[in-house]
Amino acid sequence: MKNSIWFITGISSGLGKALAEAVMRTGDFVVGTFRTASQVEEFNHKNSNSGYAILLDITDEKNIEDTVQTTISKFGRIDVLVNNAGMGFVGAIEETSMEEVRTVFEANFFGTLKLTQAVLPFMRKEKNGHIIQISSHGGIKAFAGFGIYNASKFALEGFSEALAQEVAPIGIKVSIVEPGPFRTKFAGNGLGLAKNIIEDYSDTAGAFRAKLKGVDGKQEGNPIKAAKAIIDLANSDNPTLRLPLGKAALITIGLKLDSVKSDLEKNRRTAEEAVFV
């Protein structure tokens, strides 16, 4: 195949679906993952010439390894890996059980990390490839009620930023996409909620929970336009490490940068004096 082969996780809905459809329209080939066999069969029936669906549980390490090996055996390479699959979660830190925390991290961090590790040997062999991590503006700035989700995306951004430095000399690119609120199922059926509710957090985490549910279906972000931006990023000769998407993301990330800079300046003398003279 002359055109690029994209491996995109979580293409059943939202941004993943929009991206897969847009990539196929460009003439590139998509290997996309679903969580149910019926979705796999339907996709393969409709897109036999432009895409190939495969069953994947992003929290299953063996499943990840087998899926990558199957893809390489069938198509020879993966040019662009898009780690899109994941989950949202709302709950105050104290409200959230460790079981709930682990569920979020398995999907948003460990699964993405494992899939990235599984694809890297083949990209290293080709001395080529682009890894695109779908993070969030919540991977830069935290919000009350979103702390566990924020933590999972902060972790994703941390290893991806280091990875970008590690693989650049090999010829592999890494980009982190940071969408704001987009009109997907993220704030609807795709949103996890802490089972435990503590009334003292009603004005913080509780308010955020209500706000997020209230904007479901009304978000400013257009998944189709986001897909085009990601394709343009992948086709760029010199892609940026980060790609914010949406007006809200620009505001959120700007506020975080201002806050960090303010703290840096207020504590500059203290920091400078905390050294051996």
Side-chain angles (χ1 to χ4, degrees), residues 45-120:
H45 178 71
K46 292 180 178 179
N47 304 282
S48 59
N49 295 322
S50 54
Y52 178 76
I54 195 163
L55 201 63
L56 176 65
D57 178 355
I58 195 65
T59 68
D60 186 327
E61 289 191 21
K62 182 64 165 58
N63 193 188
I64 289 172
E65 293 172 355
D66 291 345
T67 299
V68 171
Q69 190 58 59
T70 296
T71 302
I72 296 298
S73 297
K74 193 173 183 67
F75 302 106
R77 67 184 196 277
I78 294 172
D79 299 303
V80 184
L81 167 64
V82 182
N83 280 304
N84 169 70
M87 64 174 291
F89 183 85
V90 175
I93 300 301
E94 187 182 351
E95 291 175 335
T96 309
S97 70
M98 290 308 296
E99 181 181 0
E100 290 169 331
V101 172
R102 290 188 177 96
T103 297
V104 175
F105 267 76
E106 285 292 344
N108 292 355
F109 176 70
F110 288 110
T112 297
L113 174 59
K114 179 60 181 177
L115 183 52
T116 300
Q117 291 177 325
V119 169
L120 276 170

Side-chain angles (χ1 to χ4, degrees), residues 15 19 82-84 132-136 153 156 175 177 179 230:
L15 179 57
L19 180 59
V82 182
N83 280 304
N84 169 70
I132 299 177
Q133 315 283 40
I134 305 300
S135 179
S136 164
K153 292 298 187 180
L156 167 65
S175 295
V177 179
I230 293 170

Side-chain angles (χ1 to χ4, degrees), residues 14-16 18-19 22 182-184 220-230:
L15 179 57
L19 180 59
F182 269 71
R183 206 164 297 180
T184 66
E220 67 166 17
N222 184 333
I224 295 174
K225 292 182 178 180
K228 182 183 182 304
I230 293 170

